[in-house]
């Protein structure tokens, strides 16, 4: 399948070619023709699948074909849960729309509102916004929704998780009823279907890469370790395996900060990225990470959503998320575009419940491996049996036993990490500080 065959117009084909895409991704193959028909579309696709182009390209085409109906009125509204995602969608609109005369703007909170007002007053065809700032601007009389032809709710599942449902419902009431609705979400969970029912009319449903398929592409290990030893184990892994670009997940903002500080003190360039950081700090951290100046980016689940970092060799979970689906989102940040990714979870005994929930969700037992010098005093209990058989995906046995035969066979078994004389059972102060408990990301 080619982009030409999807029915895209010449200016868009040019932009796509300049971006270097040779062929559309599966979600693009499904979503682009569906959106071009003008129907409502509900798509299940995660970050990393190319979903953004899946809605941006056909929206640009439809707006261009319809011509400017209302000068100085917003014609397409794209709502995202996070500032990072808004910024990235805005970049995609600029990139794919570079040969079209459409104007776009991105608005989100945490930065000054006046420059955003100035941009809106000049006239914008496509607005990308986070819900809170959008409502602020509306209340200040700076936004007119009357010209909206297309609404996109991007990462709708995350919007619900983040408690934006009331804002979304308020925004929906302000929009003209005649419009095209597009809803993108990692999953079609019942809450998402419920939300969609109130918005969409007989939507076309498009689904690619369900979470299990993502999990299948990533090699995953559990490293049992005592909680207090996690920062030291992470440092050991980074140094020992010479990881140059590693995304680390922390459940809490406080934990992310402490861990980044710990790594910095250990001589490893690191930065934390989470909701309490200013937009400038987040943008700088992400840019530094992409450019290779920052070796370790420690992110909370929410801050990591929508981060456009392609092809990370590995991700590390310094703790397990409370919501098992977040685990799948986390490991989805590695192993993109056909490359095998590696995901390591540092798991302490108190996290067995989360581990069981994850293993149940992905329908497989994760391989456990012990790193010499970091064997836990508090043993991680055995995993619970899987409750339902794995769905047929033509990929072998229903589960792999715990205990890392595979890893050892690759010469990276626990022996490979033996560090005589470096066993640290009593953590220093920094270790203690580095374990975080605090506000959820
Ligand atoms: P997304 O899932 O929209 O966040 O996109 C993930 C990454 O895939 C981004 O870096 C895009 O630039 C890239 N991408 C999107 N579509 C394609 C494509 N057809 N071929 C190659 N890369 C793509």
């Amino acid at each position: 399948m080619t982009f030409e065959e999807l029915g895209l117009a010449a200016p868009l084909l040019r932009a796509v070619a300049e971006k270097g895409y040779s062929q559309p991704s599966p979600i693009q193959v499904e979503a682009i023709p569906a959106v071009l028909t003008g129907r409502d579309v509900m798509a299940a696709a995660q970050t990393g699948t190319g979903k953004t182009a899946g809605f941006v390209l056909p929206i640009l085409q439809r707006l261009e074909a319809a011509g400017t109906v209302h000068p100085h009125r917003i014609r397409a509204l794209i709502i995202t849960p996070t500032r990072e995602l808004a910024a990235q969608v805005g970049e995609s609109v600029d990139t794919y729309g570079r040969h079209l005369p459409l104007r776009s703007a991105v608005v989100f909170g945490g930065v000054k509102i006046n420059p955003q007002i100035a941009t809106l007053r000049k006239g914008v065809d496509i607005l990308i916004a986070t819900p809170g700032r959008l409502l602020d601007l509306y209340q200040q009389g700076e936004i007119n929704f009357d010209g909206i032809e297309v609404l996109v709710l991007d990462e709708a599942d995350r919007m619900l998780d983040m408690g934006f449902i009331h804002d979304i419902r308020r925004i929906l009431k302000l929009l003209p009823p005649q419009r095209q609705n597009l809803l993108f979400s990692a999953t079609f969970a019942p809450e998402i279907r419920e939300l969609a029912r109130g918005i969409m009319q007989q939507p076309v449903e498009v689904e690619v890469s369900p979470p299990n398929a993502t999990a299948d592409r990533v090699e995953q290990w559990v490293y049992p370790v005592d909680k207090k030893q996690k920062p030291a184990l992470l440092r050991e892994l980074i140094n020992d395996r010479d990881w140059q670009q590693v995304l680390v997940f922390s459940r809490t903002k406080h934990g992310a900060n402490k861990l980044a500080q710990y790594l910095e003190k250990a001589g490893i360039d690191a930065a934390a990225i989470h909701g309490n950081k200013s937009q400038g700090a987040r943008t700088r951290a992400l840019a530094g990470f992409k450019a290779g100046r920052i070796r370790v980016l420690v992110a909370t689940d929410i801050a990591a959503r929508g981060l456009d970092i392609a092809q990370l060799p590995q991700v590390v979970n310094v703790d397990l998320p409370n919501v098992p689906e977040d685990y799948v989102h986390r490991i989805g940040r590695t192993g993109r575009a056909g490359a095998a990714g590696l995901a390591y979870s540092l798991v302490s005994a108190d996290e067995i419940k989360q581990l069981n929930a994850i293993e149940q969700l992905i329908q497989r037992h994760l391989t456990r491996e012990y790193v010499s010098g970091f064997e836990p005093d508090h043993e991680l209990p055995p995993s619970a049996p899987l409750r339902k058989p794995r769905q047929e995906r033509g990929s072998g046995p229903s589960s792999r036993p715990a205990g890392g035969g595979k890893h050892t066979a690759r010469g990276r078994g626990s022996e490979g990490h033996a560090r005589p004389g470096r066993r640290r059972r009593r953590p220093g102060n920094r270790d203690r500080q580095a374990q975080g408990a605090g506000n959820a990301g």
Side-chain angles (χ1 to χ4, degrees), residues 335-416:
R336 289 173 168 193
L342 306 170
Y344 304 90
S345 298
L346 314 189
V347 183
S348 48
D350 59 313
E351 293 175 296
I352 185 64
K353 251 174 91 174
Q354 287 98 317
L355 180 62
N356 280 332
I358 289 164
E359 292 185 331
Q360 189 57 41
L361 177 72
I362 64 173
Q363 283 289 300
R364 114 186 191 192
H365 283 123
L366 298 176
T367 304
R368 295 186 184 193
E369 186 182 89
Y370 290 84
V371 179
S372 188
F374 291 90
E375 297 87 347
D377 288 338
H378 304 280
E379 188 55 57
L380 182 61
S383 290
L386 301 176
R387 283 193 302 275
K388 60 177 191 243
R390 183 185 175 83
Q391 280 168 10
E392 203 46 68
R393 287 184 190 279
S395 58
S398 66
S399 68
R400 277 196 261 153
K406 188 172 181 189
H407 213 167
T408 307
R410 288 156 54 114
R412 292 198 285 163
S414 56
E415 305 92 307

Side-chain angles (χ1 to χ4, degrees), residues 14 61 103 185 192 204 211 315 349 416:
R14 229 174 106 198
Q61 174 142 334
R103 298 153 302 174
S185 168
I192 292 294
V204 179
V315 299

Side-chain angles (χ1 to χ4, degrees), residues 3 19 21 23-25 28 46-52 308:
F3 282 105
K19 180 81 180 155
Y21 302 160
Q23 62 183 58
S25 70
Q28 291 162 3
Q46 292 187 300
T47 299
T49 55
K51 67 180 171 66
T52 314
D308 182 16

Side-chain angles (χ1 to χ4, degrees), residues 33-50:
V35 177
L36 285 176
T37 64
R39 286 184 60 183
D40 286 356
V41 175
M42 200 172 153
Q46 292 187 300
T47 299
T49 55

